[in-house]
């Protein structure tokens, strides 16, 4: 189909499977497990709407640049669309379609009344000034004005965006509506309706799911060795929370390289180093390590928290962790996932392990819609309840059906969406 071919033509090797085709493969596996109606399956294999808009932006040098902005809306059978907005050079419709579909299953698995969406612009935000980023964000929002809204589609931050961009989006939408609309985006600053706990939410969700998986095996986080690829918003938060819980973070990395200490890194000191140097590289008392080397370290838990396709058929047979938690979206390729399963390595799938962000986004939306805001303890408590319940449903389903945690999670999420479509029927 169109959305997948746009990625497939750029495949680096003949073995490459584009993100959308991979996500459809997991959908088809779940459909087969469920015995799903093929008429429902064919609907779910396609995004409901793909929007591409032209974004003319005046640069600081006076020239006008034309950018392409995208928004893919996969399925809204359970509620309004929900998903991030990313600014990254690799953004394309195939990637966004895959991520939108993943969000549909993620929300359904967690019991959140949302469907999946994803949007973005193929730029490197570091190459633009703050003023240029504001102008392009506002124009992007205005071009999508009829396709987003608190009851239609609710964007959130993603790679390359933050609460700053969400504030610009919220303000642009609100100015067009003539009044403040708190629920149009999530991940906003606290001053304009953001939620406490949102910054650490995805990392906290990773910590919770890892903790629950270990507890099921009779272990606690105390003394567990963990390697984390990626030390940004997700990996950094997960490292901090796991460190506080007693885990031993032996290695972390970022785009510039990694650091290793077999005795455990001092995460607060490392965070201070990153704040000053903008990289983990050169942290005093640690050894240098590459991103590739980090993935194959002997450790109890491996957390890929960077980009997709990090564990592939080329290195899956060298992964030494007993548990892999997908903090990033799709960090394991289709073939690598099969290799890890054959080797008996447990994988906590992305639609479960990194769901903390969308859970707190949902809680922010609920607070904004009601104009009643909670303290951070309540936010964390509500999130933990949803994630713990979801993990144990997935684990129980996995054991009952003798399938992997990934297939169990997909079966539960896809099954809920399929049932909702069956109950609602096909219009007209």
């Amino acid at each position: 189909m169109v959305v997948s071919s746009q990625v497939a033509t750029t495949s680096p090797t003949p073995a490459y499977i584009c993100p959308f085709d991979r996500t459809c493969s997991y959908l088809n596996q779940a459909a087969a497990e469920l015995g799903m109606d093929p008429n429902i399956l064919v609907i779910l294999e396609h995004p409901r709407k793909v929007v591409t808009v032209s974004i003319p932006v005046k640069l600081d040098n006076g020239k006008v640049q034309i950018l392409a902005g995208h928004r893919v809306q996969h399925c809204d059978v359970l509620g309004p669309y929900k998903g991030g907005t990313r600014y990254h050079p690799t953004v394309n419709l195939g990637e966004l379609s895959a991520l939108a579909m993943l969000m549909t299953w993620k929300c359904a698995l967690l019991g959140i009344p949302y469907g999946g969406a994803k949007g973005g612009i193929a730029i490197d935000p570091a190459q633009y000034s703050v003023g240029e980023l504001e102008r392009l964000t506002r124009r992007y929002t205005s071009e999508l004005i009829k396709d987003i809204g608190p009851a239609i589609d609710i964007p959130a931050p993603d790679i390359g965006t933050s609460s700053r961009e969400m504030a610009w989006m919220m303000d642009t939408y609100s100015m067009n509506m003539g009044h403040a609309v708190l629920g149009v985006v999530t991940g906003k600053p606290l001053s304009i309706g953001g939620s406490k706990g949102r910054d650490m939410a995805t990392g906290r969700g990773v910590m919770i799911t890892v903790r629950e998986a270990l507890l099921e095996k009779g272990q606690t986080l105390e003394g567990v060795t963990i390697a984390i690829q990626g030390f940004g918003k997700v990996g950094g938060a997960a490292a901090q929370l796991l460190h506080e819980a007693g885990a031993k973070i032996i290695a972390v990395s970022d785009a510039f390289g990694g650091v290793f200490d077999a005795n455990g890194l001092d995460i607060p000191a490392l965070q201070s180093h990153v704040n000053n140097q903008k990289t983990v590289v050169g942290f005093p008392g640690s050894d240098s390590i590459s991103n590739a080397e980090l993935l194959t370290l002997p450790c109890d838990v491996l957390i890929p928290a960077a980009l997709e396709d990090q564990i592939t058929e080329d290195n899956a047979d060298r992964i030494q962790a007993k548990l892999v938690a997908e903090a990033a979206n799709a960090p394991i390729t289709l073939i690598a996932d099969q290799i890890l399963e054959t080797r008996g390595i447990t994988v906590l799938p992305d639609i479960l392990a990194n769901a903390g962000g969308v859970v707190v986004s949902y809680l922010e939306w609920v607070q904004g819609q009601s104009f009643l805001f909670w303290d951070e303890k309540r936010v964390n408590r509500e999130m933990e309840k949803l994630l713990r319940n979801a993990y144990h449903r997935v684990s129980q389903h996995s054991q009952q059906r003798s399938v992997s945690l990934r297939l169990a999670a997909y079966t539960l999420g896809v099954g809920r969406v399929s049932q909702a479509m069956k109950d609602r029927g096909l219009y007209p």
Side-chain angles (χ1 to χ4, degrees), residues 48 88 161 163 217 225 238 261 284 287 293 323 336 339:
R48 183 175 177 189
H88 193 272
T161 60
S163 59
K217 298 176 185 293
T225 57
D261 185 340
D287 296 320
E293 290 170 331
L323 175 69
I339 294 171

Side-chain angles (χ1 to χ4, degrees), residues 394-411:
V394 170
S395 177
Q396 185 178 34
H397 202 68
S398 170
Q399 294 170 31
Q400 289 175 344
R401 290 187 174 243
S402 298
V403 297
S404 67
L405 290 176
R406 187 186 305 282
L407 184 52
Y410 267 81
T411 302

Side-chain angles (χ1 to χ4, degrees), residues 280-330:
V280 301
V281 175
F283 179 57
S286 68
D287 296 320
S288 296
I289 189 172
S290 70
N291 269 287
E293 290 170 331
L294 180 145
L295 293 171
T296 58
L297 283 173
C299 59
D300 297 312
V301 181
L302 172 63
I303 302 177
L307 295 172
E308 62 275 357
D309 298 339
Q310 298 301 300
I311 299 177
T312 70
E313 54 270 31
D314 295 328
N315 62 7
D317 61 345
R318 292 183 283 115
I319 301 299
Q320 298 187 64
K322 304 177 184 69
L323 175 69
V324 180
E326 293 188 313
N329 285 312

Side-chain angles (χ1 to χ4, degrees), residues 41 129 144 146 198 206 215 218 275 296 309 321 328 342 356 375 415:
L41 174 60
S129 70
L144 292 176
K146 295 180 180 178
R198 178 62 181 85
V206 173
L215 284 172
N275 292 341
T296 58
D309 298 339
T342 300
D375 61 31

Side-chain angles (χ1 to χ4, degrees), residues 95 124 170 216 226 233 246 283:
E95 174 191 61
D124 177 0
M170 178 267 187
E216 212 168 41
I226 300 178
K233 289 183 287 189
F283 179 57

